[in-house]
Each structure stands twice: as structure tokens, then as C-alpha cells.
């Protein structure tokens, strides 16, 4: 007498809509679709720095401020405008950058120039 073989289940291809998806599939879809939608704070920060860098031809030093607006994001990006020795005498520029809801730069303006070593003091 032979024992009947257990029935084997076939694997269904991921994404055929017939069952739960694997976490990796969800992560891949989310990462791919996020760029087309509204950026999160980290993406907006990167977008502001990268796009301003392309326009100015200078790498950003830091993003000192980021806030959501009705239409997207507003960031303040610090850029070295004139490198000097020692570094504390380098001339820095603060740029206000506006991004739309898709993370594209729509405007920028330099709001301040200062020496890197200068400390802002309250009331002055």
C-alpha cells in the first residue's frame, strides 16, 4: 500500500492581486512612488540642497531650517560663497529656498551674508 503524496501548493507571482505582498515588494513600491508624490521632510531637505547647488555651482554646507508651507516646503540652506584661510573667515550665504508640493525648486534668494566664525547675538 502506498501513502498518497501531499498536495503541493503553487506559489503565485507577487503583485497578481491574489494575496498579501511581501514586505520587500511594498517597500520597493513605496520608494518608487514617493518621488512622484509629496516629499517627506528628509527628501525635501535633500531636494532643496541639491537643486540650489545645481543653480549656484557650489556645494551646500548645511540646511539650517526646514518648514512645511501650504504649497510645499521652505528651507534655509547655508553655502560657502568665498573660501578663506582660516575657515572661520570664509564668507557664508544663507539662501531661502521654496519647493513646490513635488519637491521641485520654484524660487530662492540670498537672505544673509556673514563670516563663518560670526555668532548671532540676540537683539543685534
Amino acid at each position: 500500500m502506498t501513502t498518497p503524496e501531499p498536495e503541493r501548493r503553487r506559489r503565485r507571482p507577487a503583485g497578481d492581486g491574489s494575496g498579501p505582498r511581501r514586505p520587500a515588494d511594498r517597500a520597493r513600491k513605496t520608494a518608487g512612488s514617493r518621488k512622484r508624490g509629496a516629499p517627506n521632510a528628509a527628501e525635501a531637505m535633500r531636494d532643496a540642497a541639491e537643486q540650489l547647488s545645481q543653480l549656484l555651482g557650489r556645494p551646500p554646507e548645511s540646511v539650517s531650517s526646514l518648514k512645511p508651507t501650504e504649497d510645499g516646503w521652505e528651507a534655509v540652506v547655508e553655502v560657502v560663497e568665498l573660501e578663506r584661510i582660516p575657515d572661520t573667515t570664509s564668507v557664508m550665504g544663507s539662501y531661502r529656498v521654496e519647493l513646490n508640493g513635488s519637491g521641485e525648486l520654484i524660487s530662492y534668494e540670498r537672505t544673509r551674508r556673514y563670516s563663518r566664525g560670526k555668532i548671532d547675538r540676540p537683539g543685534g
Side-chain angles (χ1 to χ4, degrees), residues 3 9-11 15-16 22-23 34-35 40 43 45 54 58 62 79 88 93-95 99 102 112 114 121:
T3 312
R9 291 187 178 187
R10 287 185 139 176
R11 278 191 161 175
D16 66 355
R22 295 188 317 246
R34 187 175 284 155
K35 268 304 187 194
N40 63 30
E43 290 169 335
M45 189 179 290
Q54 289 173 358
R58 297 184 190 111
S62 65
V79 176
T88 55
S94 288
Y95 288 82
L99 303 174
S102 303
R112 180 174 170 235
Y114 61 97
R121 300 189 192 284

Side-chain angles (χ1 to χ4, degrees), residues 32-74:
S33 62
R34 187 175 284 155
K35 268 304 187 194
R36 287 184 291 271
N40 63 30
E43 290 169 335
M45 189 179 290
R46 276 190 299 274
D47 290 345
E50 288 172 8
Q51 292 177 62
L52 183 64
S53 175
Q54 289 173 358
L55 291 171
L56 298 178
R58 297 184 190 111
E61 186 73 14
S62 65
V63 176
S64 58
S65 170
L66 179 72
K67 65 181 179 181
T69 64
E70 284 185 26
D71 302 324
W73 294 91
E74 182 178 294

Side-chain angles (χ1 to χ4, degrees), residues 5-6 9-10 14 21 24 28 31 49 62 70 77-78 84 100:
E5 248 183 68
R9 291 187 178 187
R10 287 185 139 176
R21 301 183 84 150
R28 216 174 294 121
S62 65
E70 284 185 26
V77 181
E78 309 299 325
R84 292 187 176 158
N100 66 15

Side-chain angles (χ1 to χ4, degrees), residues 74-89:
E74 182 178 294
V76 176
V77 181
E78 309 299 325
V79 176
V80 177
E81 294 196 335
L82 182 60
E83 243 177 285
R84 292 187 176 158
I85 297 175
D87 283 345
T88 55
T89 61

